[in-house]
Amino acid sequence: MLHGEIKWLAMFGMLPCSKDGVGQVCAHRNMTCAPIFVWPGFADPEQGLSTMAQTVGDFLVERLHEWGVRLIFGYPGDGINGVFGALNRAGRKIEFIQARHEEMAAFMACAYSKFTGELGVCMATSGPGATHLVTGLYDARLDHVPVLAIAGQQSRSALGGHYQQEVDLVSLLKDVAGAFVQQAAHPSQVRHLVDRAIRTAIGERRVTAIVLPNDLQEMPYKDPPRTHGSVHSGVGYSIPKVLPYESDLLRAAAVLNQGKKVAMLVGAGALGATDEVIAVADRLGAGVAKALLGKAVVPDDLPWVTGAIGLLGTEPSYTMMSECDTLLMVGSGFPYSEFLPKEGQARGVQIDLAPDMLSLRYPMEVNLVGDAGETLRALLPMLDAKVDPAWRNEIAKSVAQWWRTLEERALQPANPVNPQRVAWELSPRLPDRVILTSDSGSCANWYARDLKIRRGMMASLSGGLASMGAAVPYAIAAKFAHPDCPVIALVGDGAMQMNNMAELITVAKYWRRWADPRWIVCVFNNQDLNQVTWEQRIMQGDPKFNASQGIPDVPYHRFAQLIGLEGIFVDRPDALGAAWDEALAADRPVVLEVKTDPEVPPLPPHITLKQAKNFANALLRGDPHEGSVIRGTARQLLSKLFPGRRKRD
Ligand SMILES: Cc1ncc(C[n+]2csc(CCOP(=O)(O)OP(=O)(O)O)c2C)c(N)n1
Ligand SMILES: [Mg+2]
């Protein structure tokens, strides 16, 4: 019996169709399923009707497997059924992980790559499936993560016919997958499309895409003939060791050796170079600030690590950058130049694998294209040890003071729970080898500043794109990457409502196969799109606009319980510690919902006079929470602007 016939029979209730429908019938490995799909009216003379050994879909799966792909995140649809059929026939050679939404699948592919260093792969059907992928793919694109997207397409014979679900996917994906995007037109073409798409993705750390018309997926695969006009590609790629010339390293060393106050900034490119960063920082007597994506580069218990930088950053990072005379930047595309030294203040050296990221935020004197670890290791013997410890001692003093400030802020009373305290209480409880994720929202401030990361931990979020809705799919992908590691995601209630909630269903579907069941999402329920509310107040000087900012109250912990996960609710600060302990001891994934105060400001590390004026204006213009804002935050804001006043308060 042919697949198409089985599907028809099942659709008309003539087969005992299981929950999973036809797929389940064919998934029965003992059943003889002819590997050809004949949908009435779609028979193609090129395809023929005879039983064949390998369809294009089968070949694609085989080739992906040869390239080392073992996991694909995605969502099905008839535009890509020829590949799903092939995945099914291939047994568990490549595992398919079903998300609730294609955007989430793309976030998962991105995060999987971030947490494993391997290629991330996502797959979607034609039309709406493919358009859904786009935001997740941009997340990978902006964070320089290798992801391959495979999208279905309408039949070749229908293309250009304003056909159902026909979208010009090559044009759609041209920007995000600009390094390589192709729509296949012929079976023999698929071999080099796969080879080039993967080699380009991992070699250039880019997003690439292959678009496959659905009729093509079902056709017999044939290797390219040995004729003019055919391409004969192969599998395989070794990541090169990229190291600058010695003469350039010597120039860099000369700049760094002359500096008296060296500041380092490390980003995602330096992940995996922890020892080298520490060795170079020690030699240079430098402090180290971390871009958001580089949180796990160096542990926070080192006294000269100033932590995060930028709007979500720390005061010691801000001060170090404004006072240093030399900047060494490693593997970071941190975007905000106003948090780096003023032009001309410091001499600069930068190391990055991507030439286009060099001298982009600060005009550097020496621009080195190189792998972070290799380059730092080669640089180290050229560096003189700094003899005067004053600069580093100063940094360490300000870091120690900053941790006390953070504690003070976290312990300030709020209504009902201070959100900063949620992260503060978690920090000392973080289990070894935990993988942390955060959504975009005010929780990213607490994630960046308050969580003290230790060696062996990983942490990531949607950095360059700063998209809402990434924390839960990232946390799911973390489990598929490292099923034996505990995973914790911090998420705002807006991001929960946007799409993270639905992905809890994915967790409910898969968690039993994870060796360590600890998977926690902490929801900051403040009934507000709070980060933006504060941006409206401080950046624009506008009062909170309730119509755009207020969001409904949803019992997230009860939703978790409803689908078989554990749900914990906290609305008292003194219950937080025990709640974290309970969540970390649970035998299944947990949603820890905390009722947090939207009037605790996620303050940037440095408040300008203009920002303070904006804030005052926002209140004057009738902020609906004027009373509680003033009560809860004025002291913090005013003490930053007018430090003298604080003592008198
Ligand atoms: C997809 C997307 N839409 C909108 C934004 C703009 N944005 C950034 S943070 C934020 C508010 C997030 O609210 P919530 O998840 O409730 O977290 P909170 O700030 O309240 O803690 C918004 C709307 C974004 N970054 N991404
Ligand atoms: Mg919120």
Side-chain angles (χ1 to χ4, degrees):
M1 195 186 287
L2 301 177
H3 280 198
E5 290 170 323
I6 292 173
K7 188 165 178 178
W8 278 116
L9 292 174
M11 279 171 78
F12 290 105
M14 293 161 76
L15 270 182
C17 204
S18 70
K19 225 172 29 195
D20 284 0
V22 179
Q24 193 68 26
V25 175
C26 289
H28 200 288
R29 303 313 302 165
N30 296 329
M31 189 167 174
T32 320
C33 286
I36 181 173
F37 187 98
V38 183
W39 191 259
F42 275 75
D44 183 332
E46 260 188 88
Q47 172 182 318
L49 289 176
S50 60
T51 304
M52 59 213 145
Q54 198 183 36
T55 64
V56 167
D58 291 323
F59 170 78
L60 176 84
V61 171
E62 191 57 44
R63 199 71 167 182
L64 292 172
H65 187 263
E66 262 185 79
W67 269 101
V69 174
R70 296 292 178 271
L71 216 59
I72 297 179
F73 301 93
Y75 206 78
D78 71 344
I80 193 75
N81 267 350
V83 178
F84 277 96
L87 275 175
N88 196 358
R89 287 191 289 280
R92 299 195 73 181
K93 248 181 151 174
I94 296 183
E95 193 164 11
F96 179 72
I97 307 300
Q98 178 203 61
R100 297 313 97 200
H101 187 297
E102 293 84 352
E103 179 182 319
M104 303 295 104
F107 278 139
M108 288 177 201
C110 174
Y112 183 79
S113 177
K114 284 183 174 183
F115 293 133
T116 59
E118 293 167 17
L119 175 77
V121 183
C122 55
M123 189 157 80
T125 190
S126 51
T131 59
H132 268 181
L133 284 179
V134 171
T135 301
L137 295 180
Y138 270 107
D139 181 44
R141 172 79 189 95
L142 268 63
D143 285 351
H144 307 271
V145 177
V147 166
L148 167 66
I150 300 167
Q153 177 59 291
Q154 271 306 347
S155 221
R156 290 168 304 159
S157 53
L159 291 176
H162 192 74
Y163 209 67
Q164 192 199 30
Q165 295 194 332
E166 183 196 350
V167 170
D168 180 354
L169 293 181
V170 173
S171 299
L172 174 82
L173 300 170
K174 195 66 204 171
D175 181 49
V176 71
F180 187 83
V181 50
Q182 282 289 331
Q183 180 165 300
H186 191 278
S188 307
Q189 193 191 358
V190 173
R191 175 168 137 188
H192 71 258
L193 295 194
V194 174
D195 293 345
R196 273 199 90 201
I198 295 185
R199 194 174 286 109
T200 306
I202 52 184
E204 297 181 19
R205 303 191 60 81
R206 292 286 296 266
V207 174
T208 58
I210 303 173
V211 180
L212 290 173
N214 59 16
D215 59 323
L216 190 92
Q217 298 161 25
E218 306 292 342
M219 289 174 64
Y221 172 74
K222 283 195 204 85
D223 271 331
R226 187 168 164 73
T227 54
H228 188 69
S230 65
V231 174
H232 297 259
S233 65
V235 173
Y237 180 77
S238 303
I239 293 173
K241 167 173 157 175
V242 185
L243 200 57
Y245 284 108
E246 196 178 343
S247 54
D248 291 322
L249 289 170
L250 285 167
R251 281 196 305 125
V255 171
L256 297 168
N257 285 337
Q258 280 163 32
K260 295 201 164 23
K261 300 174 172 182
V262 184
M264 288 176 71
L265 171 59
V266 296
L271 289 166
T274 302
D275 289 333
E276 289 85 350
V277 169
I278 293 174
V280 166
D282 279 341
R283 184 73 55 91
L284 294 173
V288 177
K290 301 187 284 186
L292 204 48
L293 289 170
K295 186 173 175 72
V297 172
V298 278
D300 285 308
D301 44 22
L302 294 170
W304 39 266
V305 169
T306 61
I309 188 170
L311 288 168
L312 312 182
T314 70
E315 281 180 19
S317 294
Y318 185 85
T319 312
M320 176 173 74
M321 288 299 164
S322 46
E323 292 177 2
C324 69
D325 65 11
T326 309
L327 172 64
L328 171 58
M329 202 159 139
V330 186
S332 175
F334 170 67
Y336 305 139
S337 295
E338 70 270 29
F339 289 92
L340 296 179
K342 278 198 199 94
E343 266 193 59
Q345 170 199 319
R347 299 177 74 187
V349 173
Q350 188 177 352
I351 301 167
D352 207 292
L353 261 183
D356 64 328
M357 297 308 292
L358 291 168
S359 263
L360 192 60
R361 313 299 186 208
Y362 189 83
M364 300 288 175
E365 208 169 312
V366 184
N367 293 285
L368 301 175
V369 174
D371 174 73
E374 295 290 346
T375 308
L376 290 174
R377 218 173 307 145
L379 201 54
L380 189 63
M382 302 175 180
L383 300 177
D384 304 332
K386 300 273 180 246
V387 280
D388 184 357
W391 166 247
R392 223 187 194 192
N393 288 345
E394 210 180 297
I395 292 170
K397 217 167 102 191
S398 78
V399 169
Q401 174 56 41
W402 173 249
W403 284 114
R404 285 192 290 276
T405 305
L406 282 183
E407 179 164 27
E408 240 174 66
R409 287 187 184 177
L411 297 181
Q412 275 190 10
N415 184 18
V417 178
N418 183 336
Q420 191 162 354
R421 174 130 182 216
V422 179
W424 187 258
E425 294 283 351
L426 167 63
S427 192
R429 293 177 166 85
L430 287 172
D432 288 342
R433 299 180 67 235
V434 71
I435 304 178
L436 297 163
T437 75
S438 169
D439 222 281
S440 297
S442 62
C443 64
N445 294 266
W446 323 131
Y447 160 91
R449 294 189 195 131
D450 291 77
L451 295 182
K452 269 192 178 180
I453 203 151
R454 305 192 302 272
R455 260 185 192 259
M457 297 177 173
M458 286 190 262
S460 199
L461 38 55
S462 170
L465 190 63
S467 177
M468 284 171 73
V472 170
Y474 265 49
I476 292 171
K479 273 295 190 189
F480 284 105
H482 304 282
D484 56 336
C485 289
V487 174
I488 302 175
L490 305 186
V491 188
D493 48 355
M496 230 31 217
Q497 293 176 17
M498 185 177 268
N499 47 20
N500 280 316
M501 242 174 126
E503 286 308 320
L504 291 178
I505 299 166
T506 306
V507 176
K509 175 173 173 172
Y510 289 108
W511 73 266
R512 282 179 186 81
R513 65 165 76 175
W514 297 335
D516 182 330
R518 286 176 298 172
W519 186 96
I520 303 168
V521 51
C522 175
V523 184
F524 293 71
N525 180 347
N526 53 18
Q527 289 183 252
D528 187 33
L529 301 174
N530 197 238
Q531 179 70 24
V532 173
T533 301
W534 279 103
E535 283 162 356
Q536 288 175 350
R537 284 173 177 151
I538 302 223
M539 306 296 190
Q540 265 73 41
D542 287 330
K544 175 176 175 176
F545 180 37
N546 254 341
S548 72
Q549 300 312 110
I551 56 169
D553 194 8
V554 171
Y556 307 93
H557 70 292
R558 283 187 12 224
F559 177 73
Q561 290 162 355
L562 207 61
I563 60 170
L565 308 180
E566 188 166 330
I568 304 173
F569 180 71
V570 172
D571 59 358
R572 289 189 354 255
D574 54 3
L576 265 175
W580 275 120
D581 291 338
E582 188 185 338
L584 285 162
D587 64 352
R588 66 190 58 209
V590 177
V591 171
L592 169 57
E593 176 185 350
V594 187
K595 197 78 195 158
T596 53
D597 189 345
E599 306 314 338
V600 173
L603 291 175
H606 177 75
I607 305 279
T608 63
L609 203 57
K610 180 163 188 299
Q611 288 166 344
K613 279 185 186 156
N614 283 342
F615 179 56
N617 278 339
L619 298 184
L620 285 175
R621 287 182 198 158
D623 194 287
H625 300 281
E626 186 186 350
S628 51
V629 167
I630 289 179
R631 209 179 42 244
T633 64
R635 208 177 335 133
Q636 280 193 17
L637 276 170
L638 293 178
S639 70
K640 293 182 69 53
L641 264 180
F642 311 108
R645 277 194 54 170
R646 194 162 173 228
K647 295 191 184 75
R648 289 198 296 274
D649 278 349

